Amino acid sequence: HAFNQIIGYAKFINGSNGTVLYRGQTKNHDSLLPSGARPGNNPVPDSTIANMRTDGNISTFFNLDNESIKGWERYQSILVESVLQHYGANTYCMDFVDNHWCALWFGLYRFYNNHYFKRSDNGNLYVFLYVAETEGACVGGMYIGEDTYTVDLRKALPSTFQRPASQHGWVVRAKERQPVSLDERVIGVIEVSVNDACAWLGDGALLSESNFFQ
């Protein structure tokens, strides 16, 4: 009940500031740094994003030829980068969810050997609370903020992309494609024991690896 109340309180006091999103992590890292900005990682190059954006088949599959965003290169590039991030590539985007159950899941499961495995240790997991800039204009699922672009992937992508729908997936990226952290809009970090998270989530099929990673 306390966990639910904290989530509700965070959303209540930020009702005019944007949308509170969540990010579950197995460790409390010092900074919310996108994968492509981390030491030793090379982000997907601009040329790859441009090639995907201009590919006819990909454009149709991603619905980039929709009249509302047709010809808008910045939107199309950000959406392509968002998809690449959500499917495991190193980019300047960062994954979030808008369901705190899903955030708990990502803190409870570790990724190795190409699969997610439930933790059985006596440690803790961490749920970051982040206020996304969603007060401004929204076009095709992308919110245009002063400092960031925020993409609700369920609005931006057709339902053939099942993973974003299963995970309640969002992506945030700084306005410029460069290595910057997203720390400024973090409003809190909730520490939860692994044992509690296991008991709260249970073993339902909706919270399984096979559902999350269709």
Side-chain angles (χ1 to χ4, degrees):
H1 294 307
F3 181 63
N4 288 328
Q5 282 187 304
I6 294 171
I7 294 296
Y9 181 68
K11 295 181 79 67
F12 176 71
I13 64 173
N14 287 281
S16 299
N17 300 328
T19 301
V20 178
L21 302 177
Y22 321 112
R23 180 175 173 84
Q25 299 187 165
T26 57
K27 296 180 180 179
N28 188 0
H29 298 289
D30 294 334
S31 179
L32 282 187
L33 200 62
S35 59
R38 297 170 192 167
N41 288 351
N42 294 317
V44 174
D46 290 324
S47 57
T48 298
I49 294 173
N51 288 339
M52 291 180 66
R53 176 178 58 78
T54 56
D55 181 275
N57 291 330
I58 291 178
S59 179
T60 299
F61 188 65
F62 282 30
N63 201 33
L64 299 181
D65 49 6
N66 185 294
E67 286 299 324
S68 64
I69 50 94
K70 191 173 184 178
W72 187 4
E73 293 184 6
R74 174 60 66 92
Y75 174 96
Q76 294 174 347
S77 295
I78 292 169
L79 186 58
V80 168
E81 188 175 7
S82 296
V83 173
L84 290 173
Q85 167 63 33
H86 201 65
Y87 281 83
N90 292 326
T91 74
Y92 290 132
C93 299
M94 178 155 272
D95 291 309
F96 291 91
V97 297
D98 64 9
N99 182 315
H100 52 295
W101 295 9
C102 296
L104 280 175
W105 193 95
F106 281 102
L108 181 60
Y109 284 73
R110 294 188 189 277
F111 182 75
Y112 60 93
N113 291 335
N114 294 318
H115 286 285
Y116 281 89
F117 297 89
K118 183 184 288 187
R119 294 169 59 183
S120 58
D121 58 88
N122 292 318
N124 298 314
L125 58 90
Y126 302 87
V127 176
F128 283 70
L129 307 181
Y130 176 88
V131 182
E133 291 188 283
T134 57
E135 319 95 290
C138 177
V139 180
M142 184 176 78
Y143 296 85
I144 304 169
E146 289 188 13
D147 301 312
T148 60
Y149 295 109
T150 302
V151 184
D152 182 343
L153 294 171
R154 293 162 301 179
K155 293 181 179 179
L157 295 170
S159 59
T160 45
F161 290 87
Q162 296 186 46
R163 186 180 295 188
S166 300
Q167 297 178 10
H168 297 235
W170 294 61
V171 160
V172 177
R173 203 205 76 180
K175 276 289 188 72
E176 300 303 322
R177 192 167 187 264
Q178 56 189 11
V180 295
S181 74
L182 299 175
D183 296 347
E184 287 188 5
R185 297 183 70 88
V186 174
I187 58 168
V189 181
I190 304 173
E191 184 177 32
V192 179
S193 75
V194 167
N195 290 334
D196 280 344
C198 283
W200 297 346
L201 291 180
D203 296 309
L206 285 173
L207 291 168
S208 64
E209 182 188 30
S210 60
N211 181 56
F212 270 15
F213 296 93
Q214 285 273 4

